[in-house]
Amino acid sequence: SRASIHTFLIFKPLHVYWLNTQGKVIEKALMKPFTIKTPKKPAQYILESFTNLHLKIGSSFNIPKMI
């Protein structure tokens, strides 16, 4: 889905990565406090970090399968 994410009540920049079902980065953003962003493409997962993970579009991220 194209789930939006917001940074309301987050007081420092947040690195956000949207991943597809295979765990590949399909979009990324450095979000400032008190903003909203909707990805351009549907994403399965959202990864948030206060530190830059240096993931590029197309990078793979290993997502463990939950039983």
Side-chain angles (χ1 to χ4, degrees), residues 13-59:
L14 183 67
H15 295 267
V16 180
Y17 303 89
W18 285 268
L19 311 170
N20 65 13
T21 55
Q22 291 81 35
K24 288 192 177 185
V25 177
I26 57 172
E27 193 165 336
K28 65 180 187 171
L30 176 58
M31 295 184 61
K32 295 181 180 178
F34 299 95
T35 59
I36 299 174
K37 176 142 176 69
T38 302
K40 295 175 184 163
K41 297 179 182 178
Q44 182 70 28
Y45 306 101
I46 299 174
L47 177 63
E48 305 171 8
S49 176
F50 286 118
T51 60
N52 188 350
L53 301 177
H54 301 286
L55 296 175
K56 296 179 180 178
I57 302 297
S59 294

